Short mmCIF file of all heavy atoms in Angstrom, two decimals:
data_model
loop_
_atom_site.label_atom_id
_atom_site.label_comp_id
_atom_site.label_asym_id
_atom_site.label_seq_id
_atom_site.Cartn_x
_atom_site.Cartn_y
_atom_site.Cartn_z
N MET B 1 42.74 -6.04 2.20
CA MET B 1 42.89 -5.81 3.63
C MET B 1 44.25 -5.15 3.93
O MET B 1 45.25 -5.43 3.28
CB MET B 1 42.83 -7.14 4.40
CG MET B 1 41.51 -7.87 4.37
SD MET B 1 40.17 -7.00 5.23
CE MET B 1 40.61 -7.30 6.96
N LEU B 2 44.24 -4.28 4.92
CA LEU B 2 45.47 -3.69 5.44
C LEU B 2 45.74 -4.29 6.81
O LEU B 2 44.86 -4.26 7.68
CB LEU B 2 45.30 -2.17 5.60
CG LEU B 2 45.20 -1.31 4.35
CD1 LEU B 2 44.77 0.11 4.71
CD2 LEU B 2 46.53 -1.29 3.60
N SER B 3 46.92 -4.85 7.01
CA SER B 3 47.24 -5.37 8.34
C SER B 3 48.57 -4.79 8.79
O SER B 3 49.31 -4.21 7.99
CB SER B 3 47.29 -6.90 8.31
OG SER B 3 48.27 -7.32 7.41
N ALA B 143 43.56 -5.30 11.46
CA ALA B 143 43.35 -5.79 10.10
C ALA B 143 42.10 -5.08 9.59
O ALA B 143 40.99 -5.29 10.09
CB ALA B 143 43.18 -7.29 10.08
N LEU B 144 42.30 -4.16 8.67
CA LEU B 144 41.23 -3.26 8.24
C LEU B 144 40.96 -3.45 6.76
O LEU B 144 41.88 -3.67 5.98
CB LEU B 144 41.66 -1.80 8.47
CG LEU B 144 42.05 -1.41 9.89
CD1 LEU B 144 42.75 -0.06 9.89
CD2 LEU B 144 40.81 -1.37 10.77
N GLU B 145 39.70 -3.32 6.40
CA GLU B 145 39.39 -3.33 4.98
C GLU B 145 39.95 -2.05 4.35
O GLU B 145 39.85 -0.98 4.95
CB GLU B 145 37.87 -3.39 4.79
CG GLU B 145 37.47 -4.03 3.48
CD GLU B 145 36.01 -4.44 3.50
OE1 GLU B 145 35.51 -4.84 4.57
OE2 GLU B 145 35.38 -4.34 2.43
N THR B 146 40.58 -2.18 3.20
CA THR B 146 41.14 -1.01 2.53
C THR B 146 40.00 -0.16 2.00
O THR B 146 39.21 -0.63 1.18
CB THR B 146 42.04 -1.43 1.36
OG1 THR B 146 42.97 -2.40 1.83
CG2 THR B 146 42.77 -0.24 0.78
#
Side-chain angles (χ1 to χ4, degrees):
Chain B
M1 294 293 285
L2 290 169
S3 60
L144 302 167
E145 207 164 326
T146 309

